[in-house]
Amino acid sequence: MSEQSCAPTERGILIIGLGLIGGSLAAALKEAGFEGRIVACDRDADEVARGIDMGLIDAGSTELAPWVADSSLIVLAVPVLAMEAVLRELAPHLGDQVITDVGSTKGAIEAAVERVFGGMPPRFVPGHPIAGSEKSGVAASNPALYRRHKVILTPRADTDPDALARVRALWAACGAELLEMDVARHDQVLARTSHLPHLLAFSLVDTLARQDERLEIFRYAAGGFRDFTRIAGSDPVMWRDIFSANREAVLGALDEFEAGVARLRRAMTDNDGDAMLAVFDRASHARQYFDTLLNQTSYQAMEQRNIRYRVTPGGDVRGRIRVPGDKSISHRSIMLGALAEGVTEVHGFLEGEDSLATLQAFREMGVAIEGPHQGRVTIHGVGLHGLTAPAGPLYVGNSGTAMRLFAGLLAGQAFDTELTGDVSLNKRPMGRVADPLREMGAVIETAEGGRPPLTIRGGQALRGIRYDMPMASAQVKSCLLLAGLYAEGETRVREPAPTRDHTERMLNGFGYAVQRAADEAWLQGDGRLTASPIDVPSDISSAAFYLVAAAITPGSDLLLEHVGTNPTRIGVINILKAMGADLELLNPREVGGEPVADIRVRHAPLKGIDIPVDQVPLAIDEFPVLFIAAANAEGVTRLRGAEELRVKESDRIKAMADGLAILGVENTVHPDGIDIVGRADASDTHVAHYRGGHVDSLGDHRIAMAFAIAALRAESEIVIDDCANVATSFPGFVDLARRVGLALEEQEVS
């Protein structure tokens, strides 16, 4: 987001080079209310005169020396190859002025500065606004040119902090978004995202323009040609200078592009439809991702957004709804479908950001994937050994499931990979999967404290192990079974308590034998997966919010359709029934090896219980909303044996305890659980059970949704901060909540 700032307080600003960039800077400063003097120097006297006539600058000329002394900040807006000559002319007149520039190749500019001054002056702050136009000259100046556009600054360790702050203030006044990076990184990024596209556009137009039938070609060219080649209308001299100044980085980007074209040419020569589809589909979704980044709606951009929920008390919970597909099964459907031989059709896929991150990661490893479209995904599997090395780190968003399962299947690949996630995920412990994988022969490096990012070295010979898990974790179990697909011999995992068994069920569905007995699951390595259709049931973790909503609200009657009722996932149902909830499972059936049912829930008085320890692993993700059920029960609800809640997206025990306390719900926190004193009794079914308040979800989607449900029985509004991550697990939560009767308002907060 743009920095909020008043106009800079410089006594005077000198712009050297009054073209589009320099003129637009002057125009933006004038519009922002800058009260100092803006002067300019340009070798074209007509440009200076035009800038004065337009009211952009107060004075100027073709001479540099007269304007330096009275200016406290100098902006170099000349072509990159002209920079050294301008600096040599400027140097004798300098005092303590702050200097910045607008060049797009920082390495060349830094080298020119060092040749002139013998080093980088501390008050020189290199900068580059990512904005422009095909038009040129001061007449094209636009005061909005930098608004909501990025300006990259490349300060060094010894850059004067005051100088940096003043340059930041300059661009912030223009409405720009300020970023900082080192010079080498800047030039590499710009070579790929700006310089290479311009080079290709110039080349394509030049190639076609030299053909005899060029008039016919251009006459019938469609919008795609126009859009792609628009940038070839840019200033040729400027771009010649840019390509010369950033030669090495552009040549590196061109090498990568030529290699990509060669791969596509081979696929076309061989009539390899899957290879072509993989390229086109990966590119299509990368382009869509670029759009969502610009609009601040993607899973990577959401860290920059602050979503707040305001939920008004009251309402009933009635109707018939189907919540999105199961996230755990959606993750696994993509993973196993990609590693299978043949084409896997998936229906009911959860189009949430976590699942989409998994899907995109496999695209980056060469898997052709069609969709998703209304929950349908088609995966062209490459087999267990068909993945290819991604171009960079694999980003899995906020998903601990994806991170841990990927660690297992990537440990057996021939190439190196790096796994990273968002800020929240990168704080979560990964030693619980890294340590047993190392016992199998994997080479895995973690950040400090065993946290992401994970670097997984390829080409390792894995061996099967027998592993007794110290904690009940489906993620750890699944990780080791997936690594076992690539291991020599048998991989056997024993769990201290039952956990969800989606991986075992789905592996068997894909024709890979997994044995299960008592508390153990095991498989032999070196098998194969065969493509199989998957119908993803609705996620019981998402359904849980509405189960509790109806259970605590007088007059409610809600039917949830096609909900997964896997025995390893129904802890929330068992616990709610034990508390007295009126729950009924209708039309039980099996779909693709997974049991499903429709669930009808109506209001009934709830009572506090001691939650059975054997149900804890079966409801580990649902406890935030179960705590809301406990707050609306009569008596005390006690939870023990839930240490796992401490290392989820947040410390969910503490986060919920803090929020409940704000609402006036008495609770006592224990290392492995919590006691919650319910505020209900049998005679107060139509009154509020606690007050409203302002709570912080700590970026945890389940905390945010739980307190939204709590508002149904609050005496005043509940405001919940930091709710952007709800999209990671439950797209459409707000719309469904409103549909069943919640008065929920979603706000974006600056």
Side-chain angles (χ1 to χ4, degrees), residues 393-589:
L394 296 177
Y395 178 85
V396 297
N398 189 245
S399 177
T401 298
M403 174 77 71
R404 293 182 174 120
L405 270 60
F406 265 121
L409 69 88
L410 292 174
Q413 303 303 321
F415 49 83
D416 295 352
T417 45
E418 180 181 328
L419 286 169
T420 189
D422 68 6
V423 173
S424 171
L425 181 59
N426 283 346
K427 295 177 181 177
R428 297 174 66 183
M430 293 295 150
R432 60 180 56 185
V433 293
D435 291 342
L437 286 174
R438 289 172 182 137
E439 290 183 35
M440 297 179 72
V443 176
I444 300 178
E445 301 164 13
T446 66
E448 184 178 354
R451 304 183 191 281
L454 305 183
T455 300
I456 302 170
R457 302 298 177 191
Q460 310 303 314
L462 302 185
R463 57 187 177 275
I465 61 171
R466 178 169 183 162
Y467 186 69
D468 290 345
M469 294 197 302
M471 81 296 290
S473 170
Q475 294 176 0
V476 175
K477 176 178 64 174
S478 296
C479 167
L480 300 181
L481 291 175
L482 290 175
L485 301 177
Y486 297 92
E488 180 182 353
E490 181 182 84
T491 299
R492 184 179 289 258
V493 184
R494 178 181 173 275
E495 51 190 354
T499 64
R500 59 190 64 177
D501 61 359
H502 303 306
T503 299
E504 300 96 299
R505 288 175 181 263
M506 196 176 293
L507 280 169
N508 280 316
F510 276 82
Y512 202 112
V514 180
Q515 308 297 319
R516 289 178 289 182
D519 56 2
E520 287 189 315
W522 66 95
L523 54 73
Q524 291 284 335
D526 199 29
R528 59 194 291 265
L529 296 164
T530 303
S532 177
I534 297 174
D535 187 354
V536 180
S538 294
D539 194 338
I540 195 167
S541 293
S542 297
F545 296 99
Y546 295 101
L547 294 177
V548 171
I552 67 174
T553 306
S556 62
D557 189 349
L558 183 67
L559 185 73
L560 293 130
E561 300 175 335
H562 197 71
V563 179
T565 53
N566 185 301
T568 64
R569 295 286 300 281
I570 58 172
V572 63
I573 293 175
N574 297 336
I575 291 167
L576 284 173
K577 282 186 172 181
M579 296 177 74
D582 183 358
L583 288 172
E584 186 179 5
L585 271 61
L586 307 173
N587 190 23
R589 55 207 182 273

Side-chain angles (χ1 to χ4, degrees), residues 116-132:
V116 172
F117 295 101
M120 180 65 71
R123 295 177 75 75
F124 192 114
V125 183
H128 177 207
I130 311 296

Side-chain angles (χ1 to χ4, degrees), residues 105-442:
T105 58
K106 309 318 300 178
I109 290 171
E110 191 173 79
V113 172
E114 290 176 342
R115 285 194 295 271
V116 172
F117 295 101
M120 180 65 71
R123 295 177 75 75
F124 192 114
V125 183
H128 177 207
I130 311 296
S133 168
E134 287 69 61
K135 299 176 181 179
S136 60
V138 72
S141 298
N142 175 8
L145 186 66
Y146 308 111
R147 199 171 298 151
R148 292 186 295 277
H149 282 250
K150 293 177 175 62
V151 172
I152 300 174
L153 305 181
T154 59
R156 307 204 324 182
D158 59 352
T159 297
D160 185 332
D162 173 68
L164 178 59
R166 287 162 62 182
V167 172
R168 291 184 70 91
L170 172 80
W171 290 111
C174 301
E177 176 188 346
L178 276 297
L179 303 174
E180 294 182 16
M181 62 177 65
D182 64 57
V183 167
R185 178 63 175 158
H186 169 277
D187 287 356
Q188 290 169 357
V189 168
L190 268 293
R192 288 159 174 78
T193 60
S194 175
H195 304 167
L196 178 63
H198 279 82
L199 189 71
L200 299 177
F202 282 123
S203 177
L204 176 61
V205 174
D206 178 59
T207 299
L208 297 180
R210 290 190 297 167
Q211 296 181 6
D212 290 341
E213 65 272 25
R214 60 187 177 276
L215 294 180
E216 290 299 300
I217 290 173
F218 291 141
R219 179 176 293 127
Y220 297 116
F225 178 84
R226 178 199 62 211
D227 293 342
F228 175 71
T229 60
R230 173 184 57 81
I231 55 178
S234 301
D235 182 353
V237 174
M238 176 186 75
W239 281 103
R240 178 206 61 189
D241 292 352
I242 289 172
F243 294 141
S244 297
N246 202 26
R247 177 175 173 271
E248 294 304 321
V250 174
L251 286 174
L254 191 58
D255 287 343
E256 294 170 357
F257 176 77
E258 289 175 344
V261 171
R263 286 192 296 270
L264 190 54
R265 183 185 183 92
R266 284 195 300 272
M268 294 178 67
T269 300
D270 298 340
N271 198 26
D272 187 342
D274 279 359
M276 286 189 282
L277 179 63
V279 173
F280 301 153
D281 196 70
R282 189 163 59 244
S284 173
H285 284 81
R287 184 60 179 80
Q288 294 172 25
Y289 170 55
F290 172 69
D291 279 343
T292 57
L293 266 180
L294 292 182
N295 295 323
Q296 298 287 282
T297 58
S298 82
Y299 55 80
Q300 288 185 337
M302 74 184 178
E303 294 177 41
Q304 303 172 21
R305 303 170 70 220
N306 183 5
I307 300 298
R308 173 180 292 164
Y309 289 166
R310 307 186 77 95
V311 197
T312 304
D316 54 9
V317 181
R318 307 183 68 83
R320 185 184 191 105
I321 61 172
R322 179 166 176 170
V323 301
D326 187 286
K327 183 166 67 167
S328 297
I329 297 175
S330 293
H331 279 304
R332 289 161 172 83
S333 70
I334 298 297
M335 292 180 177
L336 298 191
L339 299 174
E341 299 172 15
V343 178
T344 294
E345 299 280 353
V346 181
H347 294 269
F349 177 78
L350 171 66
E351 296 184 37
E353 293 174 351
D354 279 1
S355 306
L356 292 174
T358 293
L359 187 151
Q360 187 62 24
F362 277 99
R363 285 196 174 105
E364 293 176 21
M365 290 188 287
V367 181
I369 302 174
E370 301 175 58
H373 178 68
Q374 296 181 347
R376 296 193 302 274
V377 181
T378 302
I379 308 162
H380 297 254
V382 297
L384 279 171
H385 301 281
L387 298 178
T388 58
L394 296 177
Y395 178 85
V396 297
N398 189 245
S399 177
T401 298
M403 174 77 71
R404 293 182 174 120
L405 270 60
F406 265 121
L409 69 88
L410 292 174
Q413 303 303 321
F415 49 83
D416 295 352
T417 45
E418 180 181 328
L419 286 169
T420 189
D422 68 6
V423 173
S424 171
L425 181 59
N426 283 346
K427 295 177 181 177
R428 297 174 66 183
M430 293 295 150
R432 60 180 56 185
V433 293
D435 291 342
L437 286 174
R438 289 172 182 137
E439 290 183 35
M440 297 179 72

Side-chain angles (χ1 to χ4, degrees), residues 617-672:
L618 311 185
I620 197 68
D621 285 333
E622 292 75 56
F623 276 114
V625 77
L626 282 170
F627 291 177
I628 301 303
N632 286 277
E634 180 180 7
V636 179
T637 297
R638 299 178 180 86
L639 171 66
R640 298 292 186 275
E643 302 93 333
E644 181 75 5
L645 289 175
R646 296 282 193 180
V647 291
K648 291 289 187 177
E649 285 82 337
S650 66
D651 179 341
R652 285 181 172 162
I653 292 176
K654 184 178 187 305
M656 287 301 300
D658 291 346
L660 289 171
I662 289 169
L663 303 186
V665 178
E666 183 182 345
N667 65 85
T668 304
V669 171
H670 298 271
D672 62 342

